Amino acid sequence: MNKGFFISVEGGEGAGKTTLIGRLTAQLAQQGREVITTREPGGIQIAEQIRAIVLDKAHTSMDGRTEALLYAAARRQHLVEKVQPALAAGKIVVCDRFIDSSLAYQGHARGLGIDEVWAINRFAVGDLLPDVTIYLDLDPAVGLQRIQASEEREVNRLDLEAAAFHERVREGFMLLAHRFPERIVTVDARRPADAVAGEVAAILQQRMARQPG
């Protein structure tokens, strides 16, 4: 049984995940919590190398199943090498994307099937899922506009997908939020970053207070 607390932050492109995670990490640290942040795909050397392959703009011909399998492989290594040890040590883990991104992007938006991609990823993660998942909901058009306006955010292969793809991603996340209401909390990401961070901080305080021990 994990001693720590596992938080994943999900959302479409440009939803504000990075900004939120930065604020949450600072708040948790101020409360004296030991917290680590990480991302998927990535977080450790092997997974970062897979990330470079899967997000490379030159790889537009990548098959959907190949993409799903690469994400699952990166997730497995990231889990055993970084996430599980941190949780076992009693730390709070805040992860930029986790299993729900695969279900929304490859399962729903790519049309591979949520249940099919779920099966691949359950093999990768076993029974370990986040204690809470924050889904930042935003109109994809607004998110892509944010990316184009940002000087820091590098455009990747998924950013180049057609608008209809990003709409399906959002639809996929909404389906997942309905399917897993006990874990996934939907937050309106149209608002200023301070308002979003404030709401999420309140959600996490409530959820962590329920944790045994």
Side-chain angles (χ1 to χ4, degrees):
M1 187 173 183
N2 296 324
K3 301 176 185 177
F5 195 82
F6 187 13
I7 303 161
S8 64
V9 180
E10 297 281 5
E13 310 305 315
K17 293 183 288 79
T18 302
T19 299
L20 174 63
I21 289 170
R23 292 177 186 234
L24 289 180
T25 303
Q27 291 171 0
L28 291 167
Q30 287 174 357
Q31 296 169 10
R33 308 266 190 171
E34 192 171 6
V35 56
I36 67 166
T37 61
T38 189
R39 68 177 183 176
E40 288 207 344
I44 47 100
Q45 183 180 11
I46 292 172
E48 288 289 343
Q49 292 176 353
I50 295 174
R51 179 188 183 91
I53 293 170
V54 80
L55 294 181
D56 192 326
K57 289 183 289 186
H59 297 161
T60 55
S61 63
M62 185 177 293
D63 177 74
R65 294 190 186 193
T66 300
E67 184 179 70
L69 289 164
L70 285 172
Y71 277 122
R75 181 162 297 125
R76 176 62 187 174
Q77 190 64 28
H78 177 234
L79 194 70
V80 298
E81 192 171 334
K82 189 170 186 178
V83 176
Q84 286 179 325
L87 292 173
K91 299 176 182 178
I92 296 173
V93 177
V94 183
C95 191
D96 184 341
R97 298 196 183 283
F98 195 62
I99 193 169
D100 298 295
S101 278
S102 288
L103 301 178
Y105 279 80
Q106 285 76 51
H108 190 72
R110 295 277 188 229
L112 299 181
I114 288 177
D115 289 335
E116 286 76 7
V117 176
W118 176 253
I120 293 171
N121 280 276
R122 284 305 296 268
F123 177 74
V125 307
D127 294 326
L128 182 57
L129 290 173
D131 293 292
V132 63
T133 296
I134 303 298
Y135 164 53
L136 298 179
D137 182 52
L138 185 69
D139 183 333
V142 175
L144 294 173
Q145 287 173 2
R146 288 180 178 179
I147 290 172
Q148 292 170 357
S150 174
E151 296 181 356
E152 298 179 1
R153 169 70 152 75
E154 183 179 355
V155 175
N156 63 48
R157 184 172 63 87
L158 293 178
D159 297 331
L160 302 178
E161 293 283 352
F165 174 82
H166 294 287
E167 290 287 354
R168 290 194 299 273
V169 168
R170 186 187 192 190
E171 186 178 70
F173 277 123
M174 289 178 172
L175 289 171
L176 293 170
H178 180 73
R179 183 168 175 173
F180 304 108
E182 72 290 345
R183 177 173 61 83
I184 301 176
V185 181
T186 301
V187 174
D188 184 352
R190 294 174 298 177
R191 298 166 300 158
D194 285 343
V196 172
E199 179 181 349
V200 173
I203 292 167
L204 294 182
Q205 183 177 18
Q206 183 182 54
R207 291 297 182 103
M208 286 190 283
R210 299 181 194 168
Q211 190 180 30

